[in-house]
Amino acid sequence: MNADAHEMDTSYNLTVSEADGDEVSVQVRDVDEFLNANEQLFAELLRSIPDCHCTIDFSWDFPATSAGQYNCFPTALLNRLGVLGVDLKVSVYATSENAANHPMQPSGEVGRIEMDDQPSPPADR
């Protein structure tokens, strides 16, 4: 796949966008491009993992001083995610007004697809 993949505990994370949280529309474009290039292979991967739960996480920087803001997730993308069985999550991060507009502001992982392939192990008794 054309993405950076790494395992975390019982999850795999694929980073499909390097766009910051103040560039949600770029994240949407990057996810669309990822699916255009890899949708069949990605669907096969999801089917190959028993009880796989998959979520795509969009990072959204929201200036703490802002009264409101919106982002649009195109119906075509939502339909594609629905067919694949992928949930959509938006992680919102409150930022200062200056930080939200700074291109180097760290804003968490963006455009990340999470796949939980098994339950966590039971706690030690």
Side-chain angles (χ1 to χ4, degrees):
M1 286 195 183
N2 187 17
D4 174 34
H6 59 280
E7 183 178 3
M8 296 177 60
D9 299 321
T10 61
S11 300
Y12 290 90
N13 293 313
L14 305 173
T15 301
V16 298
S17 178
E18 296 296 331
D20 286 331
D22 60 340
E23 300 176 306
V24 177
S25 62
V26 175
Q27 294 176 55
V28 169
R29 182 204 65 209
D30 291 348
V31 170
D32 192 52
E33 289 175 359
F34 170 80
L35 290 176
N36 287 340
N38 302 291
E39 189 163 6
Q40 182 177 352
L41 184 59
F42 186 55
E44 290 173 18
L45 174 66
L46 294 176
R47 284 192 300 271
S48 73
I49 302 171
D51 301 316
C52 178
H53 178 250
C54 185
T55 303
I56 185 161
D57 182 8
F58 289 87
S59 172
W60 181 354
D61 287 351
F62 189 85
T65 58
S66 180
Q69 194 178 40
Y70 75 92
N71 282 292
C72 181
F73 296 91
T75 303
L77 177 62
L78 298 175
N79 286 337
R80 289 172 88 177
L81 296 176
V83 168
L84 290 167
V86 176
D87 294 336
L88 183 132
K89 175 170 74 172
V90 179
S91 296
V92 180
Y93 301 93
T95 63
S96 70
E97 189 68 35
N98 292 337
N101 295 319
H102 191 281
M104 298 305 289
Q105 168 67 21
S107 56
E109 295 184 46
V110 297
R112 184 179 70 202
I113 299 174
E114 301 172 356
M115 294 181 289
D116 298 324
D117 62 342
Q118 56 188 2
S120 298
D124 291 336
R125 294 190 171 110

